[in-house]
Amino acid sequence: MKKPLILIAGPTASGKTKTSVLLAKAIGGEIISADSMQIYKGMDIGTAKVKPEEMEDVPHYMIDEWPADFPCSVATFKERVNTYLDAIYAKGKIPILVGGTGFYINAILYDTQFEETEADTTYRTALEQIAKEEGPLALHEKLRAVDPKSAESIHHNNVKRVIRALEYYKDTGMPISEHNAREKEKRSENESPYDYTFFALSMDRGMLYERINLRIDQMIEEGLVEEVKYFFDLGLSEDLPSMKAIGYKEFFPYFKGQQSLESCVEKLKQNTRNYAKRQLTWFRHQAQPIFIDVEQLGFDAPTIVEEMIKNLPK
C-alpha cells in the first residue's frame, strides 16, 4: 500500500509558507522543503526561508542542511529527503513537500534514479573553461556530437545544463536524453511510490509579478545585499550551486564595481519573474495537479487550507 504524501508547489510569493504550516497543523503533518537553495546555511533572506516564528512548532526539514560551499546534487538532496520521509512516516505523521524547484520535486515524487558516479571536477572544470574561452556554442556542439536530442532541448546559453548532460554521458556512456525519456514515461504513467496529492498555487500573472516586485523590495529592506556580501567577502566562487541562486548571483557584479546596485536589483526582479513563469509552465505539465487560485480566495491562508482539505483523500 502506497504511503500518503502531500505536495504544495507554487511560484515565489504565492503563499506556500503560511499555507503549508496551517495545513500541517490541521492534518498532523510535518514539512519538508523542496527548495534547492534553502538547504544552505546563512542563505535566509534571498531564499525566503521560513523563520522560526513562522514554523509555529511544526517540524521543518531540509532547512540549513549544508554550508554554502557544499556542492549539493539532486541525488544527494533526494537521499537526504528520503531519510526524513522515513522518519516522518515512522511517527505516524503525513509529510508535506513544499517548494518550487521542479526538478527536485520530481526526483522525490517519482523516485527518479540517478546513475551518478563520483563527480569528476577535472572534467567539469575543463568544460567550464571551454565555455569561457571558446563560448557556449562551442560547448553546445560537443553535446550535439554525443546527444543530439539533448542539444535540441537545451539552449546553448544554459551552460550548467549542457555541462550536466556532458558529464552524464562521460560517467555512464548513455545520453541523458535517454535517461530523461525513461523518467518522463514513468511520470506519464503516474508511477509514483506515493499516494500523493499535488496542490499547485496559482494567480493572475500580473498580480504574481507585482507581488514578486514587492517581495524583492522587502528583501532589500531586510538586508539581502548585506547577506550576499557576506558570502562574497568569504571568497565563495560564483560557480558554486549556492551562489548561482537567484537572489545571490545578481549582486556579484555590484560588489565587483561592474554595475550599479539599482541595475542589479532590477535584474533580480526580472530573473525572479522569469523563473516564476517557468515554474507555472512546469505545473501545467505535471500529472494530476489540483490548481488553487489563491488570488480568488483572497490570499487568505485558512480559506486556502479549507479548499485543500476538501480535495484530500478521505
Side-chain angles (χ1 to χ4, degrees):
M1 187 175 177
K2 293 183 177 181
K3 294 176 179 177
L5 177 66
I6 296 171
L7 168 61
I8 301 176
T12 301
S14 60
K16 297 185 296 291
T17 298
K18 181 65 175 176
T19 301
S20 61
V21 168
L22 289 184
L23 181 63
K25 293 176 75 172
I27 66 170
E30 297 189 353
I31 294 171
I32 300 176
S33 169
D35 186 292
S36 63
M37 294 301 159
Q38 292 189 0
I39 57 175
Y40 294 115
K41 297 174 182 176
M43 293 175 60
D44 302 330
I45 301 171
T47 65
K49 192 178 291 177
V50 58
K51 300 179 176 68
E53 61 271 19
E54 293 174 328
M55 295 181 183
E56 297 187 28
D57 297 322
V58 173
H60 282 64
Y61 305 88
M62 295 305 287
I63 303 283
D64 295 336
E65 294 284 330
W66 292 287
D69 60 356
F70 179 74
C72 180
S73 68
V74 65
T76 303
F77 186 97
K78 177 194 165 192
E79 182 180 5
R80 182 67 62 92
V81 168
N82 284 342
T83 300
Y84 288 135
L85 284 169
D86 290 342
I88 294 170
Y89 287 130
K91 290 189 282 186
K93 300 285 188 176
I94 300 174
I96 302 173
L97 202 62
V98 181
T101 309
F103 189 45
Y104 285 64
I105 290 171
N106 275 345
I108 299 155
L109 207 56
Y110 299 103
D111 193 28
T112 305
Q113 300 304 306
F114 299 95
E115 292 129 11
E116 289 194 342
T117 60
E118 289 297 315
D120 185 346
T121 56
T122 304
Y123 184 58
R124 181 178 301 171
T125 301
L127 294 176
E128 290 171 346
Q129 200 65 24
I130 290 172
K132 287 179 181 178
E133 293 180 357
E134 302 178 35
L137 276 173
L139 187 68
H140 196 257
E141 284 306 309
K142 287 179 68 69
L143 177 61
R144 188 178 298 279
V146 298
D147 188 355
K149 286 187 178 179
S150 288
E152 287 299 317
S153 63
I154 302 174
H155 194 277
H156 65 265
N157 284 335
N158 196 335
V159 174
K160 182 179 178 180
R161 283 192 64 199
V162 172
I163 289 177
R164 182 192 299 147
L166 285 167
E167 285 182 309
Y168 187 88
Y169 182 80
K170 181 178 183 296
D171 288 344
T172 68
M174 178 176 69
I176 198 171
S177 57
E178 290 185 18
H179 169 75
N180 291 342
R182 290 202 311 268
E183 296 300 330
K184 185 176 181 180
E185 184 178 352
K186 186 192 299 182
R187 292 197 295 272
S188 66
E189 293 172 356
N190 197 26
E191 286 187 12
S192 172
Y194 304 102
D195 180 15
Y196 70 87
T197 305
F198 173 21
F199 295 111
L201 306 186
S202 65
M203 70 186 82
D204 172 76
R205 188 166 293 184
M207 172 61 73
L208 174 61
Y209 290 172
E210 183 180 329
R211 286 171 67 87
I212 285 172
N213 291 338
L214 288 172
R215 167 170 284 193
I216 290 172
D217 289 339
Q218 182 181 351
M219 286 177 169
I220 298 298
E221 290 179 11
E222 290 177 356
L224 175 58
V225 178
E226 292 76 14
E227 180 173 283
V228 183
K229 190 172 189 302
Y230 168 79
F231 294 111
F232 177 82
D233 290 343
L234 283 179
L236 294 191
S237 169
E238 292 178 71
D239 292 327
L240 282 168
S242 59
M243 293 300 102
K244 290 181 178 179
I246 294 174
Y248 295 82
K249 63 182 179 181
E250 289 83 4
F251 291 104
F252 274 66
Y254 168 62
F255 299 135
K256 292 177 179 179
Q258 298 169 344
Q259 292 182 22
S260 68
L261 178 60
E262 291 75 14
S263 65
C264 291
V265 171
E266 282 307 309
K267 185 66 174 177
L268 171 56
K269 290 180 177 179
Q270 178 186 338
N271 286 347
T272 306
R273 292 192 299 266
N274 289 342
Y275 180 58
K277 184 179 178 180
R278 292 196 299 273
Q279 287 176 304
L280 292 169
T281 300
W282 178 77
F283 299 152
R284 288 194 293 271
H285 290 86
Q286 298 312 298
Q288 300 175 312
I290 300 170
F291 285 95
I292 295 184
D293 190 327
V294 293
E295 181 181 2
Q296 192 174 49
L297 297 176
F299 298 103
D300 182 64
T303 306
I304 295 167
V305 169
E306 285 179 16
E307 190 66 23
M308 287 179 169
I309 291 174
K310 290 179 189 175
N311 286 280
L312 290 177
K314 305 304 180 192

